[in-house]
Structures are given as structure tokens and as C-alpha cells.
């Protein structure tokens, strides 16, 4: 058999040698966990979870694929309200938060999460296509622990995620 097995809602999926997956069939908010060696730059350590809050389907697909390829357990939400509901039952190590969300934006949601004792310890990294002057400071002022701009470049993206998680584990 080629590739690595993935778990999805109790079913196993196979990824080919190149990592491509046919008929992913994942739904926002469901976790996928890639099994196999967890080594190399940007690779997840066992059990590390990332929650992606992103309303753009193409961006969500890319971010999820990159995180899965690095071995992270991935949960997703398409808006702030869905994210709040799911965060009542999961506690990820890191949230990738799109700033421009429908309804409550990502910075407002970050403020809510950082004020809540049950979620304030979760790292939040802003993810946005809007890299205007002052946006980094706005994200930091809202409680974000970092900032990643789109378009996403695979290696720097994964290294940034790994760096935030490593820094948090050293500090905690």
C-alpha cells in the first residue's frame, strides 16, 4: 500500500505517495489526523491540534491540506458563530483566524476568546489577505499572538505555525 492512512469520522482514507487525496469529503469542523512519522521542520508533535476559522473554501482547502501534510489534527469553522460553538467541545493548541469573516470578524472573535478563561490560553494567529500598514498592530491589539499574510507560502507558513507552538510550550 502506498501513502499514509488518515482517520476521518471513523473511516480511513489513503493518501498517495504525493499526498494527494481523492474524494476528501471532509466537512468543516471535522478532524482529520494523519498518521505516520512526525518529524522535520514544521512537523506536528503527537496530538497537536489547529483550528482554522476561514470563510473562503479555497483558502480553507489549502490551509487544511498543508496542516494535514505536516501531521496536525485539523478542525474547521466557516464563521465566528460556528467557531464559538465548536470551541465549547474542542481545545486546540492554535487557532488560525481569518480577519475578514462574515458577521463577527476575526479580530472581534479573538477579543471574545481572549476574555474567556476557558479559551484565553489558545494561541491565535491572524490569517489575512489584507496586509495594510497597521494591520499587524490591530491584530496584536485584539489579542492575536501572530500574523500570517496570504497568499500562503508552504514552508514559511508551516515554520511559523511550528514556531508559535514551540514558543508556547517553552513558555508554559
Amino acid at each position: 500500500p502506498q501513502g499514509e492512512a488518515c482517520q476521518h469520522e471513523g473511516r480511513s482514507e489513503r493518501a498517495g505517495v504525493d499526498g494527494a487525496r481523492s474524494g476528501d469529503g471532509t466537512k468543516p469542523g471535522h478532524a482529520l489526523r494523519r498518521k505516520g512519522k512526525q518529524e522535520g521542520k514544521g512537523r506536528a508533535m503527537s496530538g497537536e491540534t489547529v483550528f482554522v476559522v476561514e470563510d473562503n473554501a479555497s483558502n480553507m482547502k489549502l490551509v487544511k491540506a498543508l496542516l494535514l501534510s505536516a501531521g496536525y489534527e485539523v478542525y474547521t469553522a466557516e464563521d465566528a458563530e460556528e467557531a464559538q460553538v465548536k470551541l465549547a467541545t474542542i481545545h486546540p493548541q492554535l487557532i488560525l483566524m481569518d480577519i475578514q469573516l462574515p458577521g463577527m470578524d476575526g479580530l472581534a472573535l479573538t477579543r471574545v476568546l481572549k476574555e474567556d478563561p476557558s479559551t484565553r490560553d489558545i494561541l491565535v494567529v491572524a490569517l489575512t489577505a489584507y496586509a495594510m500598514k497597521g494591520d499587524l498592530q490591530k491584530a496584536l491589539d485584539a489579542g492575536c499572538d501572530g500574523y500570517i499574510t496570504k497568499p500562503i507560502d508552504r514552508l514559511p507558513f508551516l515554520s511559523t505555525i511550528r514556531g508559535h507552538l514551540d514558543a508556547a510550550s517553552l513558555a508554559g
Side-chain angles (χ1 to χ4, degrees):
Q2 294 181 343
E4 299 173 300
C6 292
Q7 293 293 331
H8 173 63
E9 298 178 318
R11 296 186 311 269
S12 181
E13 296 179 1
R14 283 248 169 245
V17 173
D18 63 356
R21 215 178 313 289
S22 61
D24 186 339
T26 59
K27 297 176 187 171
H30 291 89
L32 283 174
R33 183 171 165 88
R34 183 178 285 272
K35 293 182 177 179
K37 292 184 179 177
Q38 306 295 317
E39 58 191 20
K41 193 170 187 179
R43 302 293 291 178
M45 292 195 286
S46 180
E48 288 184 316
T49 57
V50 177
F51 186 44
V52 183
V53 184
E54 169 65 69
D55 65 319
N56 180 286
S58 296
N59 290 338
M60 178 70 83
K61 184 176 179 180
L62 172 62
V63 169
K64 186 165 67 170
L66 291 174
L67 292 168
L68 288 170
S69 74
Y72 294 98
E73 187 171 345
V74 177
Y75 294 88
T76 64
E78 295 178 2
D79 58 39
E81 291 75 22
E82 182 183 6
Q84 288 176 300
V85 168
K86 291 180 179 173
L87 285 168
T89 60
I90 63 169
H91 195 84
Q93 279 80 27
L94 186 140
I95 298 172
L96 284 172
M97 181 76 71
D98 184 20
I99 290 177
Q100 297 294 113
L101 293 170
M104 180 190 298
D105 71 33
L107 296 182
L109 177 56
T110 299
R111 285 185 199 95
V112 169
L113 296 175
K114 292 300 182 173
E115 291 171 3
D116 184 336
S118 68
T119 55
R120 72 170 47 130
D121 66 317
I122 302 171
L123 294 170
V124 178
V125 176
L127 186 60
T128 185
Y130 301 100
M132 305 298 286
K133 186 176 181 173
D135 283 350
L136 171 60
Q137 192 57 51
K138 287 179 189 175
L140 296 174
D141 290 346
C144 291
D145 299 284
Y147 188 86
I148 297 174
T149 57
K150 301 172 193 171
I152 294 169
D153 189 359
R154 185 178 74 81
L155 290 177
F157 171 77
L158 292 174
S159 292
T160 299
I161 300 301
R162 178 79 264 138
H164 283 289
L165 290 168
D166 286 348
S169 69
L170 290 174

